[in-house]
Amino acid sequence: MMEFTCQATAELGENKIAICYEDSAQGRFHAGSPVMLSGSKKTVAQLVISDEVESGHMLMGATMRINADVAEGEVVSLAPVDAQVIQKIRFQPLAHGIDEGDLERAVKLLGEVYVSKGDRFVATVNGEQIEVCASAIKPAHGWLVPNTRIVIKPTPVRRKGENIPSVSFEDIGGLDETIEEVKEIAIVPLVHPEVYQKAGQDPPKGILLYGPPGVGKTLLAKALAREAQCNFISINGPELFSANYGESEKKLREVFAQAKKEAPSVIYIDEIDAISGSRKDGKGQLEKRILTQLLTELDGFEDRGQVLVVGSTNMMDSIDGALLRAGRFDRRIHVPYPDISGREQILTIHSSSMPLEAEFALEDWARKTNGFTGADLANLCRHAAVVAMRRVFGERLKQQEPLSDEELSELEILDEDFSGAMVRATPYQLENRRPANMGYHDMDQVIGHEQAKQELREHLVLPILHKEKFAAMGLNCNGGVILHGPPGTGKTMLGKAAASLSEVQFMAVSGPELLSKWVGESERAVRELFQAAQEAAPVVIFFDEFDALGRQRDGGEGSSHSNSVVAQLLSIMDGLGNNEDIYLMASTNQIELVDRAFLRPGRFERAIHVGPLPKNSFKRFFENEVKECLSSITEDQWTVLINRMVDEATGADLFGLINTAKRYAVSRSIEHGESDASLEERDMIAALASSPHLFAGYANELPEPNDWNDDDDDDWVIP
């Protein structure tokens, strides 16, 4: 028997542990063989030999640590064992309300593993984690094989008062640093209270997790409870509100009393800002009473023993300062958005059971999903699966008969399925700030505007992609650009394409929507915008109609309010340093109205003109947008058509012309009783006839758009 120090890992399977080659040789352990693991409990595991493990250490996942009842850093013993084939085994869930069919699928997913009586296993079924327990087994430990007789009992097996979550730290991706901080602050006091006693110090009484929605605050709380093998008591802030006097305070008292009785325990208060908002904010009497009761419970909980209170909030600024004093929520941990490496980890976790195509590259989607939270990425995977199912099975999904294994084997999730899912999987923090998906992912796809595109590459794209090189030369990488020109020329389209080329998120906001008639509200909206951007960074903030927000301070009517907004915006822009991955773009139709203070270095350093498209770009524009619809138009017809158009037109003008032509095509097909509508030259001509601002002349020689009964194509030729 040898002793090892336990180390956590997410790389091993449910029932495996890993040691180094030197230790395996010393103990005469063989790779793949069963071994007896002895912590506070005994369990059987399969041995893995790895060069990445330090001598004297043992790697194991969360499930193995629970089955051996050993925490990270504790000592565990290892010895060879003769594991026989299990003849009969009974599995039960550890939670109520689990469908028996889902239980069977969860057990089936275990495969061939070594099992001891009382072992727990976690399997993901239909996107949900199901934890099962081997409640009865013959012999007491052994090898689960296909011939083993398996009995499923839907009644949960759980000790009285036990409510330990199934989520582990290994199930949480993209938060490695945060997890280490949680372990240090929360796990050690719960697992080793004697250390604090010896040091003559009180352990932390409360932890406040703060960060945007969907980043994993609740998962962290559940995982720390599982790691420490603590009962998990969860309450939602708004759920405490009751119409009956004193009922809300009573609920709080009961929760704290239950936690102390069932210790070790974790009390988790989600959306704590709902009950602990600042008492200066005009809260009602009920909110004040609940907050007072919470403070009383925290202060009067000196002898609570192994009980930790964890709160979470998306609105740190709304928390009453009294809660943040020492002895209450004395530790605060920020839970950030995942970076590119974290997003890849999260995608790996959520796609682990998905039948991805062989060449599927998760790292590519990690780059494409900047600004996504863990919840957003999980949602993306779910939508991609739905898109794939619709593509593969189609109408078959509407039939009542279940799909056969042969049919199911055809399901393969492709890169295009994730692309299709992106339309619906909009990140929470950006769902009201993203422009419509215009399909421009490459600046080269944008027709014309060559000078503007070159300037955007030089002054925005390159500083983002090569930030270190620019910073090394003492150049400000955060200097913004402002696009100016007539309406409809494609300024927003260019901004989105530049952001996509830079591989950063794109937050679009209209200047007027940030303005409010109420004093201080506009400034607050500006601050919140930049706060959201900071959480989602790296990001490009695109201010449309910027002249409304950054209007010249000329002392006119309402100038005091306008001056305050401009001052607030300038202050924030000046505070953006090279360490802030926030980049600014703006657009305006009237740059002369923009306050000149914005057009200085460090703010909007470059003004880029975006004008109408020249005539030589028209044909390429049409082909790019409706190529499949215009295949019947010959080169000569194109030449005649475009020669009769004005010398310049905006992209919006040309889009409008195309849409008008499509409507004429549909009307003509209905009039002629045709099954399908097809866009023809006559439709483009008719659209020109109704758009005199795009037609250079000869308007009186064009046919009437509604003259659909004449089948003579010659009537549709422009003279």
Side-chain angles (χ1 to χ4, degrees), residues 23-182:
D23 290 340
S24 68
Q26 181 181 346
R28 297 182 179 181
F29 300 114
H30 304 285
S33 62
V35 289
M36 179 65 73
L37 203 62
S38 301
S40 299
K41 297 191 297 187
K42 291 186 177 181
T43 186
V44 177
Q46 185 177 3
L47 183 66
V48 175
I49 310 297
S50 174
D51 294 333
E52 298 181 1
V53 186
E54 298 180 19
S55 180
H57 291 77
M58 177 188 298
L59 293 181
M60 62 175 70
T63 297
M64 283 304 309
R65 297 197 301 276
I66 287 177
N67 290 337
D69 194 11
V70 59
E72 188 174 9
E74 291 186 342
V75 175
V76 62
S77 300
L78 194 67
V81 67
D82 181 21
Q84 302 176 21
V85 171
I86 299 172
Q87 301 173 15
K88 182 179 178 181
I89 189 169
R90 182 179 71 205
F91 286 102
Q92 294 178 248
L94 275 80
H96 292 276
I98 307 297
D99 180 78
E100 190 168 351
D102 289 342
L103 285 175
E104 293 177 356
R105 283 188 282 273
V107 171
K108 186 178 180 181
L109 289 172
L110 298 180
E112 298 185 24
V113 294
Y114 293 104
V115 185
S116 299
K117 184 178 179 180
D119 280 357
R120 300 179 176 188
F121 300 91
V122 179
T124 302
V125 179
N126 297 327
E128 299 293 331
Q129 287 188 319
I130 295 177
E131 191 168 19
V132 297
C133 175
S135 56
I137 182 174
K138 184 179 180 181
H141 59 259
W143 188 24
L144 179 65
V145 297
N147 292 331
T148 299
R149 183 186 172 192
I150 297 176
V151 177
I152 303 294
K153 187 177 179 180
T155 305
V157 54
R158 191 182 295 277
R159 296 191 302 271
K160 185 178 179 180
E162 186 182 47
N163 183 24
I164 299 175
S166 60
V167 178
S168 68
F169 286 126
E170 286 81 359
D171 298 321
I172 305 173
L175 296 175
D176 293 346
E177 293 183 5
T178 307
I179 288 172
E180 289 304 313
E181 191 174 1
V182 168

Side-chain angles (χ1 to χ4, degrees), residues 692-709:
H693 64 291
L694 294 177
F695 189 60
Y698 304 98
N700 60 330
E701 300 182 31
L702 289 171
E704 291 294 327
N706 296 321
D707 187 14
W708 306 120
N709 294 320

Side-chain angles (χ1 to χ4, degrees), residues 499-573:
S500 181
L501 185 62
S502 306
E503 299 182 349
V504 297
Q505 192 56 263
F506 185 71
M507 293 179 66
V509 60
S510 173
E513 78 179 48
L514 292 176
L515 298 176
S516 172
K517 65 180 181 180
W518 304 108
V519 176
E521 282 299 303
S522 300
E523 297 90 321
R524 182 186 61 80
V526 170
R527 292 193 299 270
E528 290 181 349
L529 171 67
F530 277 87
Q531 183 178 0
Q534 190 172 24
E535 294 284 2
V539 63
V540 168
I541 302 178
F542 185 88
F543 295 95
D544 197 13
E545 301 181 68
F546 186 72
D547 50 278
L549 186 67
R551 202 172 188 87
Q552 284 190 23
R553 294 166 287 182
D554 55 6
E557 184 179 354
S559 61
S560 178
H561 177 59
S562 175
N563 292 352
S564 178
V565 175
V566 169
Q568 177 72 83
L569 189 55
L570 289 171
S571 175
I572 294 176
M573 292 174 68

Side-chain angles (χ1 to χ4, degrees), residues 288-428:
K288 292 179 180 178
R289 293 202 314 269
I290 295 175
L291 176 57
T292 301
Q293 184 65 51
L294 179 59
L295 294 173
T296 300
E297 293 297 333
L298 291 170
D299 292 341
F301 221 34
E302 299 291 341
D303 61 341
R304 57 180 163 175
Q306 290 179 280
V307 176
L308 179 69
V309 184
V310 180
S312 73
T313 179
N314 313 321
M315 306 169 67
M316 188 65 181
D317 294 340
S318 300
I319 301 297
D320 193 292
L323 271 177
L324 306 180
R325 287 170 40 191
R328 294 167 179 172
F329 287 99
D330 38 18
R331 300 296 180 91
R332 295 174 288 279
I333 299 176
H334 179 236
V335 187
Y337 281 92
D339 58 15
I340 185 170
S341 174
R343 293 195 297 274
E344 186 173 353
Q345 291 179 25
I346 296 169
L347 286 170
T348 300
I349 292 170
H350 289 292
S351 65
S352 59
S353 59
M354 299 173 68
L356 301 176
E357 61 179 330
E359 60 273 18
F360 193 90
L362 285 173
E363 60 273 17
D364 290 345
W365 282 99
R367 285 194 298 271
K368 295 176 183 178
T369 50
N370 182 274
F372 280 55
T373 67
D376 294 327
L377 293 168
N379 190 41
L380 174 63
C381 290
R382 284 193 293 270
H383 279 295
V386 172
V387 172
M389 288 187 287
R390 290 172 178 169
R391 174 179 54 79
V392 175
F393 301 120
E395 294 295 319
R396 182 72 173 84
L397 294 175
K398 298 179 181 181
Q399 300 176 14
Q400 298 296 321
E401 298 81 9
L403 279 76
S404 66
D405 291 342
E406 184 178 354
E407 289 177 302
L408 291 173
S409 65
E410 298 176 4
L411 182 62
E412 186 178 47
I413 299 174
L414 311 178
D415 188 85
E416 66 185 63
D417 298 321
F418 272 76
S419 297
M422 282 287 282
V423 179
R424 297 181 177 274
T426 305
Y428 173 86

Side-chain angles (χ1 to χ4, degrees), residues 470-485:
F470 279 78
M473 293 293 290
L475 296 171
N476 181 14
C477 301
N478 300 91
V481 298
I482 184 166
L483 306 175
H484 63 98

Side-chain angles (χ1 to χ4, degrees), residues 482-495:
I482 184 166
L483 306 175
H484 63 98
T489 52
K491 298 183 291 293
T492 302
M493 180 177 64
L494 278 169

Side-chain angles (χ1 to χ4, degrees), residues 520-716:
E521 282 299 303
S522 300
E523 297 90 321
R524 182 186 61 80
V526 170
R527 292 193 299 270
E528 290 181 349
L529 171 67
F530 277 87
Q531 183 178 0
Q534 190 172 24
E535 294 284 2
V539 63
V540 168
I541 302 178
F542 185 88
F543 295 95
D544 197 13
E545 301 181 68
F546 186 72
D547 50 278
L549 186 67
R551 202 172 188 87
Q552 284 190 23
R553 294 166 287 182
D554 55 6
E557 184 179 354
S559 61
S560 178
H561 177 59
S562 175
N563 292 352
S564 178
V565 175
V566 169
Q568 177 72 83
L569 189 55
L570 289 171
S571 175
I572 294 176
M573 292 174 68
D574 290 341
L576 297 177
N578 274 341
N579 293 326
E580 300 280 357
D581 288 327
I582 298 176
Y583 307 92
L584 303 179
M585 294 184 70
S587 72
T588 178
N589 307 326
Q590 298 174 292
I591 195 170
E592 67 276 5
L593 299 182
V594 175
D595 194 291
R596 311 315 292 179
F598 287 106
L599 307 180
R600 286 170 42 190
R603 296 166 181 172
F604 292 113
E605 295 185 344
R606 190 74 174 183
I608 301 175
H609 181 255
V610 184
L613 291 173
K615 182 179 286 187
N616 58 16
S617 300
F618 289 4
K619 183 173 181 290
R620 185 185 168 200
F621 183 95
F622 290 137
E623 290 180 335
N624 189 65
E625 298 303 325
V626 285
K627 183 178 181 180
E628 71 284 353
C629 300
L630 300 174
S631 58
S632 63
I633 302 180
T634 66
E635 288 294 326
D636 290 341
Q637 289 173 325
W638 270 123
T639 301
V640 174
L641 180 66
I642 293 175
N643 282 343
R644 290 295 182 260
M645 295 183 68
V646 295
D647 291 334
E648 291 185 335
T650 67
D653 289 332
L654 299 180
F655 270 120
L657 180 66
I658 292 171
N659 289 332
T660 301
K662 287 180 177 179
R663 290 190 179 94
Y664 287 147
V666 173
S667 298
R668 176 170 50 79
S669 69
I670 295 173
E671 187 72 22
H672 289 174
E674 299 170 350
S675 58
D676 297 314
S678 60
L679 195 61
E680 299 178 3
E681 185 199 16
R682 64 174 70 183
D683 305 311
M684 297 291 290
I685 295 172
L688 271 179
S690 62
S691 309
H693 64 291
L694 294 177
F695 189 60
Y698 304 98
N700 60 330
E701 300 182 31
L702 289 171
E704 291 294 327
N706 296 321
D707 187 14
W708 306 120
N709 294 320
D710 192 347
D711 294 327
D712 187 359
D713 289 344
D714 292 338
D715 288 345
W716 296 92

